[in-house]
Amino acid sequence: MLKEIIIALNFVVFVWMVILFVSILLSSENSLNKIPNLRKSVLLLVFFSGLFALCTFFALYFANNIKVAGFFLRLTWGAGSFCVASYFYTTMVFVKIRKAMFWIILQFVIASIITVAAFTPVGITNIYSIYPSVRDSGFMDIFFRLWLIIVILYTLYLSLDYYVKSEDELKEDFKYYVLSIVSYVLIAIVAGGIFPLLKMTVTLVAPSIT
């Protein structure tokens, strides 16, 4: 029963991300337009969040077919990695850090490496069961989780520091954005970083609860 609930939740999240993506894309006037490139970075974050949920949905839906489910499970590494890179990009734009392009590109390069690694022995070596999650992983699994935790914590610090030091007008415009990002980050660290390191099945619900 729990598995079916998680499958449904991931599908709902995917649909919601599609709706959110389209609404942001078509909206001509909102607070995201006040900062250059913020709209673009948020669109990337929403897109990869939706992809993460969709891949998790298919991995669980085809759980009885290890070959198919395993393919989508490996793709969750890629989608999750690009979520982290997109969040980093969004934060750099939001806090207006100068000459941040090198670090932004670096995060997307790392995300690309992790995506490829997921399909090799250094990433996900063998998959025995999707739900409950039973698999052998290479050293990139630990690297992936630690990178996720470090990057997200750092970008969270930058966001909060910038928000606290901002003028009252800007705080009012972005207070809900900051609150949503804080919630997203804290859950992502636990569900996407800590739980996987502990080999806990609950990680499969990560996209839906973030």
Side-chain angles (χ1 to χ4, degrees):
M1 183 64 181
L2 179 59
K3 175 184 170 183
E4 286 71 25
I5 293 175
I6 296 175
I7 291 175
L9 283 173
N10 277 287
F11 183 74
V12 169
V13 170
F14 166 69
V15 173
W16 171 242
M17 288 298 105
V18 171
I19 294 173
L20 185 59
F21 182 89
V22 173
S23 66
I24 294 175
L25 190 64
L26 299 180
S27 177
S28 58
E29 295 183 6
N30 56 48
S31 59
L32 295 179
N33 292 323
K34 294 184 178 181
I35 299 178
N37 294 320
L38 184 59
R39 184 194 191 98
K40 184 191 302 181
S41 64
V42 171
L43 280 172
L44 282 175
L45 180 58
V46 171
F47 173 80
F48 286 115
S49 295
L51 183 61
F52 189 20
L54 184 64
C55 290
T56 304
F57 166 79
F58 281 126
L60 288 169
Y61 186 81
F62 294 107
N64 293 329
N65 187 327
I66 292 297
K67 186 174 182 179
V68 175
F71 172 77
F72 285 107
L73 182 64
R74 287 180 166 88
L75 280 182
T76 62
W77 273 37
S81 297
F82 279 99
C83 280
V84 175
S86 298
Y87 170 64
F88 183 85
Y89 179 24
T90 300
T91 303
M92 293 300 105
V93 172
F94 179 70
V95 302
K96 302 177 183 178
I97 291 184
R98 296 180 180 179
K99 299 181 181 180
M101 188 53 64
F102 168 79
W103 299 106
I104 293 171
I105 293 174
L106 178 62
Q107 303 314 310
F108 280 96
V109 169
I110 293 175
S112 300
I113 292 173
I114 291 173
T115 302
V116 174
F119 292 87
T120 70
V122 300
I124 299 177
T125 308
N126 295 298
I127 300 174
Y128 305 105
S129 172
I130 299 296
Y131 191 91
S133 180
V134 181
R135 68 172 187 260
D136 295 328
S137 301
F139 72 89
M140 283 298 290
D141 190 14
I142 297 178
F143 172 81
F144 173 28
R145 310 302 170 180
L146 292 179
W147 168 73
L148 180 152
I149 293 172
I150 292 171
V151 170
I152 289 182
L153 283 177
Y154 175 65
T155 49
L156 176 61
Y157 161 74
L158 290 178
S159 296
L160 293 176
D161 182 64
Y162 179 79
Y163 179 74
V164 169
K165 295 178 180 177
S166 298
E167 298 178 358
D168 291 339
E169 182 180 353
L170 184 62
K171 286 182 179 180
E172 184 64 27
D173 288 340
F174 287 96
K175 64 180 179 181
Y176 295 111
Y177 166 76
V178 171
L179 285 174
S180 64
I181 288 297
V182 169
S183 301
Y184 183 98
V185 164
L186 294 178
I187 297 174
I189 288 175
V190 175
I194 297 175
F195 283 162
L197 290 175
L198 299 177
K199 309 297 182 183
M200 296 178 68
T201 302
V202 74
T203 57
L204 294 172
V205 79
S208 57
I209 61 177
T210 52

